[in-house]
DNA sequence: CCAAGATTGAGAATCATTATCATTACCAGT
DNA sequence: ACTGGTAATGATAATGATTCTCAATCTTGG
């Protein structure tokens, strides 16, 4: 498993507070930015918590890590819900996803919505966004030459960042 | 599941000799190109069959597909063995691997041992090897600028090939 | 022919991600 | 406030690819 900068107390107390009634469903006072159908971006307590968590995490991290981070902060969010929101956010273009070497999907909040790629530290997950106009163009050219259509690409850079190297 | 261009006759007519006792272990007369330890490239019946299968398949395909192809040809090779050889061959550099969109690993026999990338048809799996000197250099430059070291990259192009498009 | 070591393969074990589905919270009417 | 409708949640089961386990089997050297 990769390790991320954020602390991940492994012995997270599994037993919830005894008296606490099982919380469920949407949060109490959340404003609720309702989108058309199915996915409201951050109306619920869980969505809000996830957004905050993504803000805090420095680089790319897996859904499981995010879930663990939420847990360790005291938030109670189901793993399934984490995946759901992550997926929705990805589709909405609010966050970036990459695949690490083992095939795990890593997520990260992303500023720009324009297409770009990442140079990610394989140790701490921190990443730099790189704008790859050159690569895009090259890819299109190559594809066109081969007669391929409807071309997409995946491109990721992994390395060790200055901090982790030093 | 993806579909591969090559036909995969499900009920291949080739019923081997009826009396065939359950074969196990290494093949009878195989020459046996023994490598240092653990992995002999193609000494066994299973390894041989796998090599042939890889030769036949036109493009990238998953371990499971290769396993299925072997099955349908009448070869009896365990899935675990397929994975084992695929992994060994990959480490040896004899075959290429890429990750498709769903995270599955796809394998393909590869001619050159020099570093290159692929433009793969997401419909039939056929692929073209593209030499990406430009990309390599660009990647290195970007990485260096960001101060990252020990940089590697993944780069894949997916599209629809002329045949599948027409 | 025998012992030692390599290889195989069926099935169990992992592990990330999805699907289920009963429960719950929010919203708009009434 | 009460209520019905609907979206969201989360515990858990299911999926699916890949790896691990280990007894059975094969090959080879002597």
């Amino acid at each position: 498993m990769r390790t991320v900068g954020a602390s991940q107390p492994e012995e997270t107390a599994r037993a919830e507070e005894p008296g606490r009634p099982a919380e469920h469903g949407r949060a109490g006072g959340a404003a609720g930015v309702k989108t058309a159908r199915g996915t409201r971006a951050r109306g619920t307590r869980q969505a809000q918590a996830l957004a905050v968590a993504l803000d805090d995490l420095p680089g790319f991290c897996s859904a499981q890590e995010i879930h663990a981070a939420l847990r360790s902060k005291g938030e109670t969010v189901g793993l399934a819900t984490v995946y759901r929101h992550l997926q929705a956010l990805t589709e909405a273009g609010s966050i970036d996803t990459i695949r690490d070497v083992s095939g795990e999907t890593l997520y990260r909040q992303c500023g720009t919505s324009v297409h770009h790629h990442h140079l990610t530290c394989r140790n701490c997950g921190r990443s730099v966004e790189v704008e790859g106009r050159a690569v895009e163009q090259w890819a299109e050219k190559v594809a066109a030459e081969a007669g391929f259509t409807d071309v997409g690409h995946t491109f990721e850079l992994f390395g060790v960042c200055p901090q982790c190297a030093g």
Side-chain angles (χ1 to χ4, degrees), chain A residues 45-77:
Chain A
R45 168 179 62 79
Q46 291 86 341
Q48 185 67 52
L50 183 64
V52 173
L54 280 170
D55 243 352
D56 290 348
L57 271 344
F60 279 94
C61 38
S62 70
Q64 314 265 351
E65 285 168 343
I66 294 172
H67 179 240
L70 284 169
R71 275 277 158 109
S72 73
K73 283 202 299 182
E75 297 285 355
T76 317
V77 181

Side-chain angles (χ1 to χ4, degrees), chain A residues 55-142:
Chain A
D55 243 352
D56 290 348
L57 271 344
F60 279 94
C61 38
S62 70
Q64 314 265 351
E65 285 168 343
I66 294 172
H67 179 240
L70 284 169
R71 275 277 158 109
S72 73
K73 283 202 299 182
E75 297 285 355
T76 317
V77 181
L79 181 57
T81 302
V82 171
Y83 273 107
R84 252 188 305 250
H85 277 111
L86 249 21
Q87 193 166 357
L89 288 170
T90 299
E91 277 166 19
S94 313
I95 60 179
D96 280 339
T97 68
I98 58 177
R99 279 265 173 58
D100 78 354
V101 191
S102 75
E104 237 178 330
T105 303
L106 309 181
Y107 306 83
R108 174 177 183 277
Q109 203 171 39
C110 126
T112 70
S113 64
V114 298
H115 186 65
H116 57 269
H117 298 287
H118 298 93
L119 170 53
T120 308
C121 177
R122 59 166 76 86
N123 185 236
C124 69
R126 233 172 292 261
S127 78
V128 180
E129 295 191 357
V130 297
E131 165 265 340
R133 207 187 313 285
V135 186
E136 314 295 329
Q137 291 174 347
W138 176 82
E140 276 176 37
K141 194 191 65 170
V142 171

Side-chain angles (χ1 to χ4, degrees), chain A residues 20-49:
Chain A
R20 171 113 141 279
E23 250 179 284
H24 253 307
R26 297 213 207 127
V33 183
K34 162 171 15 178
T35 46
R37 178 162 280 273
T39 318
R40 63 188 56 186
R42 55 177 55 199
T44 70
R45 168 179 62 79
Q46 291 86 341
Q48 185 67 52

